[in-house]
Amino acid sequence: MKTGLSHLFIPGPTNVPETVRRAMNVPMQDHRAPDFGDLTASIFADLKTVYGTTKGRVALFPGSGTGCWEAAITNTLNPGDKVLMARHGQFSHLWAEMAKRLGLEVHLIDLPWGAGAPVKEFARILGADRHGEIKAVFVTHNETATGVTSDVAGVRKALDDALHDALLFVDGVSSIGSIPFRMDDWGVDLAVTGSQKGLMSPAGLGMLAVSPKALKAMESSTMHRAFFDLADMLRAHDGGSFPYTPPVPLLHGVKAALTRMMEEGLPNIHARHKRLASGVRRAVAAWGLDLCAEHPTLYSDTVTAVRVPEGVDAREVIRIAYERYNCSLGSGLGPLNGKVFRIGHLGDLNEGMCLTAISIAEMALVEAGARIKLGSGVAAAQEVYLMRPATPELRL
Ligand code: PLP
């Protein structure tokens, strides 16, 4: 029998705060009642703040991030459209596969898993696309599989420098709400996220924010869509509702989570994620292990993917952490399976929780055969997290 708390350090679903869990314990209510908009109004408003948009609109689809990938594509593009993407991790891979399945012509740039979006290569290709054949550029802002954050503003600049009119699609599933995301400033046209990561709620809602330009593209898009029809959804949202039955308790949860986020303040949330992530990275450095991310400019503040040493199987590290220490760590996805384990550090999290994750990962690594010094990672992270008293008086 497992006793005590279970520790969840996967990069989503993340820990759901008690206030959010309680907020979901509601009697069912009529989603067609005239006052249903009282529930959704603040969700739409706060989500726009989280996305960094005043110009755009936000739609909530029952489903998940994957559903909103599909909604973004089928509501704005046309069959056979050429789109530019890079594959550098499991999620950019899956989005590219979806685009192909939906009948788009995908110009796919294959990169090592650990690289970021290839801004220079995108710029070159967009510059050479004299006839505007490329209709959209897709960027995975935070590649959760590798712990890599890409430069969305850089891709915007590449589009602008090339005077290119393509839509900019961004997957912000593991970034939005945790690290800075500036939809309007970066000229993002379609941005996808889900309820279960930075928004600290259970899975079950996908969010899609769209720019005025994307809304215009929607008018001439001929791809098939039904459940994920954005026009239907936005029309219903105008009245505070949904075109079909929404997951009402989850809406209460997301509302509470957003209220909490507004109270903490986005700059504080971003700073907290940076501090917690720095501690985790310092621990990995102290172990003498490498990150999957190729370069410090790419390091993600929401998830760290750690390469295990030669001769150690990352699956063993994850199994030991789970079976012996009641702690879920993220697995290596696709070709990284067995080579990488991931520590998710996003959402409702603090220093003590990160130290727990580091301490358990350290023990699991040692038990799986890694030659690292027990306590080395914990001590390194403590140095980052320690609030050193500023004045002697404060020491008392
Ligand atoms: N994109 C990224 C970057 C993700 O991390 C995930 C899930 O982890 C997805 C997309 C898929 O989202 P969902 O599982 O909500 O469908």
Side-chain angles (χ1 to χ4, degrees), residues 42-392:
S42 76
I43 299 181
F44 295 137
D46 290 345
L47 263 180
K48 284 180 69 168
T49 305
V50 170
Y51 269 101
T53 184
T54 54
K55 298 183 197 150
R57 292 205 59 185
V58 182
L60 298 180
F61 285 97
S64 70
T66 306
C68 283
W69 276 351
E70 182 161 337
I73 291 173
T74 56
N75 280 283
T76 56
L77 297 175
N78 289 294
D81 272 356
K82 192 166 175 182
V83 298
L84 180 60
M85 305 177 84
R87 171 161 52 199
H88 48 108
Q90 182 70 2
F91 294 100
S92 43
H93 162 67
L94 290 174
W95 207 11
E97 287 304 305
M98 174 188 276
K100 287 185 205 162
R101 281 197 207 175
L102 290 172
L104 300 178
E105 187 191 325
V106 180
H107 182 152
L108 188 59
I109 302 172
D110 258 309
L111 298 167
W113 287 32
V119 176
K120 281 192 190 142
E121 182 64 357
F122 278 176
R124 193 191 60 73
I125 293 167
L126 291 166
D129 184 32
R130 296 266 176 260
H131 303 292
E133 282 172 12
I134 296 167
K135 300 300 176 199
V137 181
F138 288 46
V139 180
T140 301
H141 183 208
N142 192 75
E143 182 41 273
T144 323
T146 56
V148 162
T149 301
S150 284
D151 179 9
V152 178
V155 177
R156 172 79 264 160
K157 187 169 180 311
L159 279 157
D160 291 347
D161 289 351
L163 302 176
H164 205 292
D165 201 32
L167 292 165
L168 178 56
F169 284 53
V170 177
D171 173 343
V173 172
S174 60
S175 64
I176 291 173
S178 306
I179 60 176
F181 192 87
R182 291 195 265 277
M183 175 150 175
D184 288 354
D185 293 351
W186 296 344
V188 174
D189 292 303
L190 294 114
V192 173
T193 195
S195 50
Q196 78 277 20
K197 299 200 192 237
L199 296 179
M200 305 178 290
S201 302
L205 274 173
M207 287 94 183
L208 175 63
V210 287
S211 70
K213 184 172 160 186
L215 288 173
K216 192 95 199 104
M218 185 176 76
E219 290 168 14
S220 55
S221 155
T222 59
M223 289 186 81
H224 292 299
R225 51 191 182 260
F227 182 85
F228 287 120
D229 193 290
L230 181 61
D232 289 350
M233 188 55 83
L234 290 178
R235 211 173 300 117
H237 282 357
D238 282 337
S241 192
F242 288 77
Y244 32 70
T245 319
V248 174
L250 183 50
L251 288 172
H252 280 276
V254 167
K255 183 183 171 97
L258 286 164
T259 301
R260 213 182 144 86
M261 290 170 76
M262 295 302 119
E263 275 167 19
E264 185 177 355
L266 288 176
N268 294 331
I269 293 175
H270 300 156
R272 176 167 57 82
H273 280 77
K274 182 161 271 319
R275 189 171 70 252
L276 296 177
S278 306
V280 173
R281 288 192 288 265
R282 200 71 82 75
V284 178
W287 294 333
L289 300 184
D290 291 327
L291 298 187
C292 190
E294 280 181 348
H295 190 268
T297 53
L298 302 172
Y299 290 168
S300 164
D301 285 337
T302 63
V303 53
T304 297
V306 184
R307 288 190 188 277
V308 291
E310 209 46 50
V312 174
D313 188 337
R315 286 167 293 206
E316 267 302 282
V317 178
I318 294 161
R319 184 190 66 75
I320 293 165
Y322 188 72
E323 289 181 0
R324 286 185 51 82
Y325 303 111
N326 211 356
C327 176
S328 294
L329 299 172
S331 55
L333 300 175
L336 298 177
N337 194 18
K339 299 183 180 146
V340 154
F341 72 90
R342 293 173 300 150
I343 301 176
H345 34 79
L346 71 164
D348 186 36
L349 217 67
N350 57 28
E351 288 81 356
M353 292 163 82
C354 285
L355 288 170
T356 300
I358 294 164
S359 155
I360 293 175
E362 201 161 71
M363 290 192 287
L365 275 163
V366 169
E367 287 180 42
R371 294 214 187 149
I372 61 172
K373 188 169 170 326
L374 278 178
S376 57
V378 172
Q382 283 172 328
E383 284 295 334
V384 176
Y385 299 152
L386 194 66
M387 300 288 174
R388 290 195 191 280
T391 62

Side-chain angles (χ1 to χ4, degrees), residues 27-37 39 241 245-246 248:
M28 286 309 106
Q29 69 194 86
D30 175 9
H31 62 282
R32 303 203 194 279
D35 62 352
F36 194 72
L39 168 61
S241 192
T245 319
V248 174

Side-chain angles (χ1 to χ4, degrees), residues 5-30:
L5 295 175
S6 298
H7 309 290
L8 188 65
F9 290 106
I10 57 173
T14 63
N15 296 284
V16 176
E18 186 61 26
T19 47
V20 174
R21 276 212 298 268
R22 288 207 192 138
M24 289 187 293
N25 189 359
V26 285
M28 286 309 106
Q29 69 194 86
D30 175 9

